């Protein structure tokens, strides 16, 4: 796919990444919305795209390229200009369908050129490319690295979720530059092996708020490496602000100042500049702005507004401003501090999610009358919780059956990271005096009281596994049933990585991350562990018997 992306850009086209793990209906919508001229794929993903009515090229079949020249097309022949599209990346949409963000070459060039001038890249650098290419951080991983002669080391699929593998890869290839979503940085900092990744010169973070604890632990783990906090929405070419984490973090970790040719304005609801220290909505202007949303003229007009402070004599000023929906304030030292969201858009583990899109899909399920989705802190991390009022069809269903129907129904339309961890049933919505849902009065999710039959742990393996799960999810051990699912109890992708690490620390080194997603209950996980114990025992018996063999000549 790296070759495919470079080929599209060099030919003057715009690329649209399609994640083959997405539901077929979501991919079909994106293909129809973008009206592709051609789809590039590989043999392993051929089954995903073969039924779509779009010309498709299998990049693994090299013979089809033999008639073509290996020389680059002359840029003057292409007629490529800075206002042409470079890529379109789809993000979650509040109307129930994803929206395509159109980014032009000018915006991409401005971002890459700034990053190179600020941080530098040369032929001795090795950059770890681990971000899925459906997210915009991958764009700088590809383009900055290869535009300036450095080496790109591509992690295996899903490898970005495995701290142990990443540590090995960093050390094996002497990686010098890489990116982490803050929550993943926090996870890898828990691994001792990360302290041996001393080849790292610069680590970049973006995607969610970087915590003081992340910076403090990074400084301890890699005292001679740089950590940089970047901020920016997909609608403004990856990142628009930066801050060197070598600075003072006693007041928190700011998102910093604007990059080159970018204007950051903090405005009140009437588009007036707010005073220093006051909180307002962050607006972005300058060369990094996206063209808008593909085929969504009304939404584009709503989010990309006329700039009341436009000054053509200022390089960073543009006729349009993008309304981020992010709250921010300017500190006395001039640095910008992120203060949260205005609306119901959230980021969980760096992935942007419109809660309205999940609610829209929930409302289309036969078993659901109405719904509300919120993000809540559970077991030390932010998780999606869906509150549902069952329809006539769903009323009276056992909770586990209803839970399965909801999650299965959502998985047809939504990617995995948008499926709520917990489903809470309400008979009636609590209302405020003006008739709106009273979010504060909603029942607190209690993952330990999932409506499954309680089966206690009895064997040594079961007791060990249940104890690990309970500690990770901050539950009482006696409340965790063997019939419960780790994910329905509140587990998620990062928590699964911690579970895997705990199991390996207890000798179950053969378990892989995908095993945790394949099993449906803690009991099945225990069976897997017991099978590993039996295999170990058999191997030991064979070794012991070899030691007692007598050889005759």
């Amino acid at each position: 796919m790296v070759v495919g992306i470079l080929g599209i850009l060099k030919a003057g086209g715009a690329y649209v990444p399609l994640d083959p793990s997405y539901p077929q209906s979501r991919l079909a919508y994106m293909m129809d919305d973008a009206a592709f001229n051609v789809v590039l794929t590989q043999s392993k993903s051929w089954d995903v795209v073969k039924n779509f009515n779009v010309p498709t090229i299998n990049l693994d079949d090299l013979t089809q390229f033999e008639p073509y020249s290996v020389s680059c097309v002359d840029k003057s022949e292409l007629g490529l200009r800075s206002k042409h599209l470079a890529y379109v990346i789809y993000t979650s949409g509040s109307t129930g369908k994803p929206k395509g963000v159109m980014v032009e070459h000018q915006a991409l060039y401005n971002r890459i050129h700034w990053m190179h001038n600020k941080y530098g890249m040369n032929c001795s650098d090795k950059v770890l490319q681990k971000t899925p290419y459906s997210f915009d951080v991958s764009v700088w991983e590809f383009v900055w690295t290869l535009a300036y002669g450095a080496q790109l080391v591509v992690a295996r699929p899903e490898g970005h979720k495995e701290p142990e593998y990443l540590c090995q890869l960093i050390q094996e290839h002497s990686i010098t530059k890489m990116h982490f979503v803050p929550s993943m940085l926090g996870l890898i900092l828990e691994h001792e092996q990360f302290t041996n990744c001393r080849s790292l010169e610069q680590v970049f973070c973006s995607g969610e708020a970087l915590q003081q604890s992340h910076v403090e632990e990074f400084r301890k783990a890699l005292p001679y490496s740089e950590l940089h906090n970047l901020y920016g929405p997909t609608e403004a070419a990856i990142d628009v602000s930066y801050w060197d984490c070598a600075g003072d973090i006693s007041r928190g970790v700011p998102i910093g100042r604007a990059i080159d040719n970018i204007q950051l304005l903090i405005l009140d609801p009437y588009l007036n500049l707010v005073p220093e220290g006051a909180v307002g909505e962050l607006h972005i202007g300058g060369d990094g702005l996206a063209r808008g949303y593909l085929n969504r003229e009304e939404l584009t007009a709503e989010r990309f507004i006329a700039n009341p402070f436009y000054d053509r004599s200022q390089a960073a000023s543009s006729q349009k401003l993008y309304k981020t929906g992010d709250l921010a304030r300017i500190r006395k030292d001039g640095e910008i501090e992120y203060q949260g969201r205005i609306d119901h858009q959230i980021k969980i583990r760096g992935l942007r999610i419109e809660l309205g899109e999940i609610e829209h899909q929930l409302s289309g399920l036969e078993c659901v009358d109405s719904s509300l989705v919120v993000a809540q802190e559970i077991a030390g991390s932010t998780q999606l919780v869906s509150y549902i009022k069952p329809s006539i069809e769903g009323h009276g269903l056992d909770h586990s059956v209803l839970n399965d129907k909801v999650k299965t129904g959502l998985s047809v339309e939504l990617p995995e990271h948008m499926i709520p961890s917990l489903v809470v049933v309400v008979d009636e919505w609590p209302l405020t005096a003006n008739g709106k849902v009273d979010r504060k009065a909603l029942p607190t999710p209690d993952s330990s009281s999932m409506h499954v039959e309680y089966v206690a742990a009895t064997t040594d393996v079961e007791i060990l596994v249940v104890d690990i799960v309970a500690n990770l999810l901050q539950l009482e051990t006696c409340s965790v049933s063997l019939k419960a699912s780790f994910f329905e109890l509140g587990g998620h992708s990062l928590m699964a990585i911690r579970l895997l690490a705990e199991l390996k620390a207890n000798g179950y080194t053969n378990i892989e991350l995908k095993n945790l997603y394949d099993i449906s209950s803690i009991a099945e996980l225990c069976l897997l562990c017991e099978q590993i114990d039996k295999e170990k025992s058999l191997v030991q018996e064979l070794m012991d018997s070899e030691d007692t063999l007598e050889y005759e000549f």
Side-chain angles (χ1 to χ4, degrees), residues 18 22-23 25-31 33-34 88-101 293-296 299 352 354 357 360-361 413-415 418:
L18 297 171
Y22 281 1
S25 60
R26 195 176 186 85
L27 292 175
Y29 172 80
M30 292 163 66
M31 287 189 178
D33 188 53
V88 177
I89 284 183
Y90 278 80
T91 67
S92 179
S94 58
T95 60
K97 294 294 183 183
K99 54 186 184 291
V101 180
Y293 300 110
L294 181 63
N295 302 325
R296 303 284 286 276
L299 185 61
R352 180 165 144 183
E354 290 278 5
E357 182 175 1
H360 179 88
Q361 297 299 340
E413 299 290 340
L414 300 176
M418 293 180 71

Side-chain angles (χ1 to χ4, degrees), residues 507-525:
Y508 299 107
T509 55
N510 291 344
I511 295 178
E512 297 181 7
L513 194 60
K514 66 181 181 67
N515 297 138
L516 301 182
Y517 289 94
D518 292 339
I519 58 178
S520 60
S521 67
I522 295 171
E524 288 186 25
L525 177 57

Side-chain angles (χ1 to χ4, degrees), residues 218-369:
F218 183 88
R219 289 172 176 175
K220 292 175 188 174
L222 297 172
Y224 301 107
S225 302
E226 299 174 8
L227 180 64
H228 300 278
N229 190 30
L230 307 179
Y231 161 86
T234 305
E235 288 85 348
I238 316 169
D239 299 301
V240 294
S241 74
Y242 68 100
W243 192 74
D244 186 344
C245 294
D248 178 18
I249 59 170
S250 61
R251 293 171 293 166
V253 184
I255 59 173
R257 300 170 184 263
I259 71 170
D260 293 347
N261 302 315
I262 291 292
Q263 183 179 37
L264 299 180
L265 300 173
I266 301 176
L267 308 178
D268 66 17
Y270 305 101
L271 301 183
N272 299 308
L273 289 167
V274 301
E276 180 185 284
V279 175
E281 182 181 0
L282 184 60
H283 292 66
I284 302 171
D287 287 346
L289 285 193
R291 183 186 295 178
Y293 300 110
L294 181 63
N295 302 325
R296 303 284 286 276
E297 290 78 9
E298 286 186 15
L299 185 61
T300 297
E302 178 187 322
R303 306 303 298 180
F304 292 83
I305 63 171
N307 183 358
F309 304 96
Y310 174 58
D311 181 352
R312 65 182 304 171
S313 67
Q314 299 295 316
S317 189
S318 59
Q319 294 184 31
K320 296 287 186 181
L321 288 177
Y322 171 64
K323 292 171 62 67
T324 66
D326 289 334
L327 296 171
R329 71 181 186 93
I330 298 179
R331 303 192 318 192
K332 285 186 178 180
D333 59 5
E335 306 291 352
I336 297 174
E337 205 171 61
Y338 175 77
Q339 295 283 305
R341 288 289 300 177
I342 290 174
D343 54 22
H344 298 310
Q345 182 194 107
I346 62 166
K347 278 198 172 182
I348 294 183
R349 294 174 283 284
L351 303 173
R352 180 165 144 183
I353 297 170
E354 290 278 5
L355 299 181
E357 182 175 1
I358 305 173
E359 291 169 351
H360 179 88
Q361 297 299 340
L362 278 168
S363 67
L365 299 180
E366 191 179 64
C367 58
V368 176
D369 173 79

Side-chain angles (χ1 to χ4, degrees), residues 1 82 182 203 268 278 323 327 446 474 496:
M1 279 300 113
S82 63
V203 172
D268 66 17
K323 292 171 62 67
L327 296 171
D446 182 5
Q474 298 175 16

Side-chain angles (χ1 to χ4, degrees), residues 76 89 105 139 142 174 204 239 319 347 402 410 460 465 468 478 482 507 539 542:
S76 62
I89 284 183
H105 279 273
V139 180
F142 292 130
S174 299
F204 303 94
D239 299 301
Q319 294 184 31
K347 278 198 172 182
L402 186 59
L410 289 179
D460 290 343
V465 173
I468 291 172
C478 60
L482 288 175
V539 169
L542 289 170

Side-chain angles (χ1 to χ4, degrees), residues 47-278:
D47 287 343
V48 177
V49 298
K50 67 180 182 181
N51 295 324
F52 294 114
N53 190 28
V54 181
T56 305
I57 294 174
N58 185 348
L59 292 174
D60 295 334
D61 180 10
L62 300 181
T63 58
Q64 64 189 315
F65 305 118
E66 289 175 358
Y68 297 94
S69 170
V70 295
S71 302
C72 288
V73 179
D74 191 300
K75 285 186 290 186
S76 62
E77 293 178 19
L78 292 175
L80 189 63
R81 298 289 182 268
S82 63
K83 299 301 286 182
H84 282 137
L85 283 183
Y87 61 88
V88 177
I89 284 183
Y90 278 80
T91 67
S92 179
S94 58
T95 60
K97 294 294 183 183
K99 54 186 184 291
V101 180
M102 301 183 287
V103 178
E104 299 171 346
H105 279 273
Q106 169 184 282
L108 176 58
Y109 176 80
N110 185 73
R111 169 61 178 72
I112 299 300
H113 189 254
W114 164 80
M115 196 171 197
H116 184 64
N117 286 343
K118 184 67 181 175
Y119 303 112
M121 178 80 77
N122 59 56
C123 60
S124 65
D125 276 308
K126 296 180 180 180
V127 179
L128 181 55
Q129 199 288 306
K130 65 180 187 62
T131 306
Y133 57 78
S134 51
F135 298 101
D136 64 350
V137 167
S138 66
V139 180
W140 75 248
E141 290 176 336
F142 292 130
V143 178
W144 184 32
T145 306
L146 299 177
Y148 291 93
Q151 180 180 335
L152 190 72
V153 178
V154 182
R156 69 189 183 200
E158 299 297 302
H160 65 288
K161 299 177 180 178
E162 303 176 41
E164 188 177 340
Y165 164 71
L166 290 177
C167 288
Q168 291 172 353
L169 202 61
I170 293 165
Q171 293 173 64
E172 180 184 345
H173 293 278
S174 299
I175 299 298
T176 59
K177 291 174 169 62
M178 69 180 300
H179 174 273
F180 282 108
V181 171
S183 53
M184 190 63 203
L185 175 65
L187 196 61
I188 203 168
L189 285 167
E190 296 175 8
H191 283 250
E192 265 187 49
Q193 278 296 310
F194 191 59
T195 60
N196 296 324
C197 298
R198 290 182 286 272
S199 63
L200 285 174
E201 297 172 5
Q202 294 165 329
V203 172
F204 303 94
C205 273
S206 66
E208 58 192 2
L210 185 64
Q211 306 299 319
Q212 289 166 284
S213 58
H214 293 144
V215 179
E216 290 165 352
E217 291 303 315
F218 183 88
R219 289 172 176 175
K220 292 175 188 174
L222 297 172
Y224 301 107
S225 302
E226 299 174 8
L227 180 64
H228 300 278
N229 190 30
L230 307 179
Y231 161 86
T234 305
E235 288 85 348
I238 316 169
D239 299 301
V240 294
S241 74
Y242 68 100
W243 192 74
D244 186 344
C245 294
D248 178 18
I249 59 170
S250 61
R251 293 171 293 166
V253 184
I255 59 173
R257 300 170 184 263
I259 71 170
D260 293 347
N261 302 315
I262 291 292
Q263 183 179 37
L264 299 180
L265 300 173
I266 301 176
L267 308 178
D268 66 17
Y270 305 101
L271 301 183
N272 299 308
L273 289 167
V274 301
E276 180 185 284

